[in-house]
Amino acid sequence: MTRTTIADVAREAGVTKATVSHALSGNRPISDETRSKVLAAAERLNWVPSQSARALATSRANAIAVVLARDPEVIANDSFFPAFIAGVESVLAPTETALILQVVPDRAAEERAYRALSRGRADGALLLDLRTDDWRVPLLGELNLPTVLVGAYDQPSGFSCVRTDDAAPVREIVARLRADGHERIAHVSGPLDYVHSKARADAYVDAMGGDSLLREGDFTASSGRALTAELLALPDRPSAILYSNDTMAIAGLSYARSQGLSVPRDLAISGFDDDHLSAHLSPALTSVSSDPAARGRAAARLLREGILGAEPRTELVDCNVVHFRESTESAASTPPASTPAPPEVSRRTP
Amino acid sequence: MTRTTIADVAREAGVTKATVSHALSGNRPISDETRSKVLAAAERLNWVPSQSARALATSRANAIAVVLARDPEVIANDSFFPAFIAGVESVLAPTETALILQVVPDRAAEERAYRALSRGRADGALLLDLRTDDWRVPLLGELNLPTVLVGAYDQPSGFSCVRTDDAAPVREIVARLRADGHERIAHVSGPLDYVHSKARADAYVDAMGGDSLLREGDFTASSGRALTAELLALPDRPSAILYSNDTMAIAGLSYARSQGLSVPRDLAISGFDDDHLSAHLSPALTSVSSDPAARGRAAARLLREGILGAEPRTELVDCNVVHFRESTESAASTPPASTPAPPEVSRRTP
DNA sequence: ATGAAAGCGCTAACAC
DNA sequence: GTGTTAGCGCTTTCAT
């Protein structure tokens, strides 16, 4: 059984291949009668055009790519990514465009991946986890692959960009903590070469005006724990810590409790990303939600435009919302009776 | 600037296209000298073979596909999926195989997607979220697309299958609750046409021996909440509820608390999937971890085999581990002093 | 061990 | 409005 091709459909419909092709693409006027004959024949033979043949003929892959150079552990625990992908898909789906996902172990593999993608596998790429002076930006420029940068990339790039304002929520949290009487406020950031980590850290330093206490983490639970330990061991230890994601915040929370500290009474804690479970922790975690799906939709739209030849443009998706919850509640801000400090299940060795 | 092709490389190396092709694929003996000349030329011109041309010539896409017919909300809150994908990628990456991800809104779109995939876009597919008598199984058979079923599919399929034993952890949890004195134990399942939901529900009913109290949810927080409300309103309400995922369990937990119940004192709760934050909730949630990455790796391996023409086979990945945590602790099993019931932030209207 | 040439299944000029 | 034909960039017989 040899698979059915456009030639079979043409024969079945009594027309030529060109007519079949145009009947489907609408790329040239076709009489209604011919079109329906063709459609009927295609239906009868259960024919679907071959993507690879079409891709070769048009140099269009009808696919876009996301290459991830992350550690599997980080991917598994990340609440941003799945929602972002869902957003991307929601605009891709109606256009029959596929999403190619590639996870690579190192930079050499990542570069190979982009080169291969640009040679017939994908029509464009979405760049996540941007770093300052990201080497991928010039590479993709050279490869001439339409690209959308997801994140606040500030160097010139010639690409479209989906940004969010990460500074505002940081300022808002710091201001609230200050108002609640916190003076010593620390920040556990993500890797500072990531533009979003950097933006948050800069906003924090700025808001603290010289009196900042910054530690650079890597978004993993273990770094959250280690850096919290470091901060709490300080002679003049902070009474509040802002973490750059929820995973680190929760690790920090666990550590603080293991030391017999009560959150938020002895230590106020806030996260970032608002994992769907964070509101259910106890104490519920103050965090910043940022609608990753909306960013995915914007990125996919911009990429489609770019592939179609539109000028690059930057879109600001403003979706950051701070959710103040129990983990930053102060005695001052709430009547103590209504929110008693959670009992400490002390894990200190007796 | 027209992109460089195999012909350019051949010219540069002073050989023919065929030689270039074979120098890279190793499909026929080549003198070491010629090969290195070719490789050098390719390197010099920064040439990477076109995937679409290669796909057309070999009818090999070098890609596999996962089609998801889920609601975006469910995708975003699912802890299984990202880890599973990371596992898949870890075996795909070294083979330069791409993963195509497609999210579709309805059955018609899903069927079209599979037809299109089988026509040159992908060499195989991974089937998730299996249902009993899943219509996709015969479709993929007819399309002749190598496929791996991820889940305990029991009908004949002719495909490879990655299974896990979901009954065992359910039995283990029920037994433990029984031993702790619970008599009225309910189960909030996922949709019962999913094979994994069904397997868990069957195991539950079986373990309860006639005295079961089953409600069918849909894995969303809202269904978890609604069904918990229903169960707690029963005259003879359960003292323990097993949920088929963590999201529903946590929604149930919140609801119970909102009603002034204490978990686990008044109601024991267990989840499934062991979200990475579940251990950090308060009370920490009893749940079942199942190493989705291991299943992803197994599925990808099996699919590669199948594409290469191997006979279908079933692999049992046994990775389910029950983590008993505070949410199912009974007074009997722990001295009350060491794990005081969490204080109720009562949300009842006064 | 290498070269020449015929496709893979489509699309897009170019005719008419 | 429809047919003819020449590619798209590879791989793979078939020769040599």
Side-chain angles (χ1 to χ4, degrees):
Chain A
M1 160 221 171
T2 168
R3 41 216 258 175
T4 106
T5 77
I6 195 173
D8 301 321
V9 178
R11 196 176 320 113
E12 174 89 10
V15 296
T16 62
K17 296 192 296 172
T19 304
V20 174
S21 173
H22 291 122
L24 269 94
S25 68
N27 276 350
R28 80 181 184 191
I30 291 267
S31 81
D32 282 356
E33 192 193 332
T34 321
R35 159 174 293 115
S36 50
K37 261 198 323 211
V38 169
L39 262 33
E43 176 80 8
R44 221 174 303 133
L45 301 183
N46 246 326
W47 173 78
V48 177
S50 153
Q51 275 300 324
S52 39
R54 176 178 283 179
L56 182 56
T58 58
S59 4
R60 263 290 161 70
N62 293 316
I64 69 163
V66 174
V67 178
L68 247 36
R70 298 191 192 175
D71 189 77
E73 192 222 338
V74 176
I75 295 175
N77 293 343
D78 180 38
S79 53
F80 170 82
F81 188 66
F84 178 80
I85 292 299
V88 169
E89 285 286 359
S90 73
V91 352
L92 252 38
T95 69
E96 311 262 277
T97 304
L99 207 211
I100 293 175
L101 198 62
Q102 223 164 332
V103 178
V104 294
D106 53 46
R107 166 160 175 174
E110 188 170 9
E111 186 165 339
R112 256 204 325 283
Y114 282 118
R115 286 193 191 281
L117 286 168
S118 71
R119 302 282 289 116
R121 234 205 213 320
D123 304 319
L126 258 26
L127 239 50
L128 301 180
D129 298 335
L130 285 165
R131 291 158 191 269
T132 34
D133 273 320
D134 202 302
W135 60 269
R136 299 172 297 175
V137 173
L139 172 64
L140 285 161
E142 172 200 321
L143 292 177
N144 219 1
L145 190 67
T147 298
V148 170
L149 311 179
V150 181
Y153 197 73
D154 286 321
Q155 288 102 325
S157 71
F159 289 132
S160 284
C161 186
V162 176
R163 314 180 51 120
T164 53
D165 180 4
D166 277 14
V170 171
R171 278 195 300 266
E172 190 179 344
I173 296 170
V174 170
R176 169 72 146 260
L177 291 170
R178 276 264 177 70
D180 283 349
H182 291 278
E183 291 178 345
R184 194 90 174 125
I185 304 173
H187 178 49
V188 173
S189 73
L192 290 173
D193 52 341
Y194 282 120
V195 297
H196 61 295
S197 300
K198 184 79 164 34
R200 295 171 194 174
D202 285 353
Y204 158 77
V205 170
D206 199 59
M208 294 302 292
D211 199 21
S212 62
L213 183 54
L214 174 66
R215 289 294 182 278
E216 180 177 359
D218 63 5
F219 288 135
T220 64
S222 62
S223 81
R225 183 180 177 86
L227 295 172
T228 302
E230 206 179 306
L231 288 166
L232 295 182
L234 254 30
D236 186 14
R237 75 162 192 233
S239 66
I241 306 181
L242 268 68
Y243 295 81
S244 204
N245 75 353
D246 284 6
T247 303
M248 295 192 295
I250 289 156
L253 172 61
S254 291
Y255 177 79
R257 287 185 152 181
S258 74
Q259 297 304 299
L261 296 179
S262 161
V263 175
R265 203 184 45 209
D266 304 325
L267 181 69
I269 278 180
S270 75
F272 225 102
D273 290 347
D274 199 31
D275 189 287
H276 71 126
L277 294 190
S278 295
H280 296 287
L281 297 169
S282 175
L285 183 67
T286 290
S287 192
V288 180
S289 66
S290 66
D291 203 348
R295 289 193 272 167
R297 288 192 298 271
R301 269 196 309 263
L302 248 35
L303 186 52
R304 266 178 51 73
E305 285 181 17
I307 291 169
L308 265 33
E311 283 304 298
R313 63 196 184 82
T314 289
E315 194 168 313
L316 179 68
V317 179
D318 223 350
C319 47
N320 280 329
V321 177
V322 184
H323 301 272
F324 288 103
R325 304 199 180 101
E326 299 162 6
S327 71
T328 52
E329 258 167 25
S330 73
S333 60
T334 345
S338 76
T339 57
E344 293 315 311
V345 178
S346 173
R347 286 176 209 150
R348 258 182 182 158
T349 43
Chain B
M1 159 221 170
T2 166
R3 41 215 257 175
T4 107
T5 77
I6 196 173
D8 301 321
V9 177
R11 198 177 317 112
E12 173 88 10
V15 295
T16 61
K17 296 192 297 172
T19 303
V20 173
S21 173
H22 290 123
L24 269 95
S25 67
N27 275 350
R28 82 181 183 191
I30 290 267
S31 80
D32 281 357
E33 192 193 331
T34 320
R35 160 175 294 117
S36 51
K37 260 196 325 207
V38 170
L39 261 34
E43 177 80 8
R44 220 175 303 134
L45 300 183
N46 246 327
W47 174 76
V48 177
S50 152
Q51 275 300 326
S52 38
R54 175 177 283 180
L56 182 56
T58 59
S59 2
R60 262 292 160 70
N62 292 316
I64 69 163
V66 174
V67 178
L68 248 37
R70 297 192 194 176
D71 189 77
E73 192 221 342
V74 175
I75 295 175
N77 293 343
D78 180 38
S79 53
F80 169 82
F81 189 66
F84 178 81
I85 291 300
V88 169
E89 286 285 0
S90 73
V91 354
L92 252 38
T95 68
E96 310 262 276
T97 304
L99 206 211
I100 294 176
L101 199 62
Q102 223 165 330
V103 178
V104 293
D106 53 46
R107 164 159 177 173
E110 188 169 8
E111 186 164 339
R112 259 204 322 282
Y114 282 117
R115 285 193 191 282
L117 286 168
S118 71
R119 303 283 290 118
R121 233 204 214 317
D123 304 320
L126 257 27
L127 238 50
L128 301 179
D129 297 335
L130 285 165
R131 292 159 190 268
T132 33
D133 273 319
D134 202 302
W135 60 270
R136 299 171 298 175
V137 173
L139 171 64
L140 286 161
E142 170 199 323
L143 292 176
N144 217 2
L145 191 66
T147 298
V148 170
L149 311 179
V150 182
Y153 196 72
D154 287 321
Q155 288 101 326
S157 71
F159 290 132
S160 283
C161 185
V162 176
R163 314 180 52 121
T164 53
D165 180 5
D166 278 15
V170 171
R171 278 195 300 265
E172 190 178 343
I173 296 170
V174 170
R176 169 73 146 257
L177 290 170
R178 277 266 176 71
D180 283 350
H182 290 278
E183 291 180 345
R184 193 92 173 124
I185 304 173
H187 178 49
V188 174
S189 72
L192 290 173
D193 52 342
Y194 283 119
V195 297
H196 62 296
S197 301
K198 184 79 165 33
R200 295 170 193 175
D202 285 350
Y204 158 77
V205 170
D206 199 57
M208 294 302 291
D211 199 22
S212 62
L213 184 54
L214 174 66
R215 289 293 182 278
E216 179 176 0
D218 64 5
F219 289 135
T220 64
S222 62
S223 81
R225 183 179 176 84
L227 294 172
T228 303
E230 206 178 306
L231 288 166
L232 294 183
L234 254 29
D236 186 15
R237 76 166 190 231
S239 66
I241 306 180
L242 269 66
Y243 296 82
S244 204
N245 76 352
D246 283 6
T247 303
M248 294 191 296
I250 289 157
L253 173 61
S254 291
Y255 177 79
R257 286 186 154 180
S258 75
Q259 298 303 300
L261 296 180
S262 161
V263 174
R265 204 184 43 210
D266 304 326
L267 181 68
I269 278 180
S270 76
F272 225 102
D273 290 347
D274 199 31
D275 189 287
H276 71 126
L277 294 189
S278 296
H280 296 286
L281 297 169
S282 176
L285 183 67
T286 290
S287 192
V288 180
S289 66
S290 65
D291 203 350
R295 289 192 272 168
R297 289 192 297 271
R301 271 196 308 264
L302 248 33
L303 186 52
R304 267 178 48 74
E305 287 181 16
I307 291 169
L308 266 32
E311 282 304 299
R313 63 196 183 82
T314 289
E315 194 168 312
L316 179 67
V317 179
D318 222 351
C319 47
N320 280 329
V321 177
V322 183
H323 302 272
F324 286 103
R325 304 200 180 101
E326 299 161 8
S327 71
T328 52
E329 258 167 26
S330 72
S333 61
T334 347
S338 74
T339 57
E344 292 315 310
V345 179
S346 173
R347 284 174 210 152
R348 260 181 178 158
T349 42

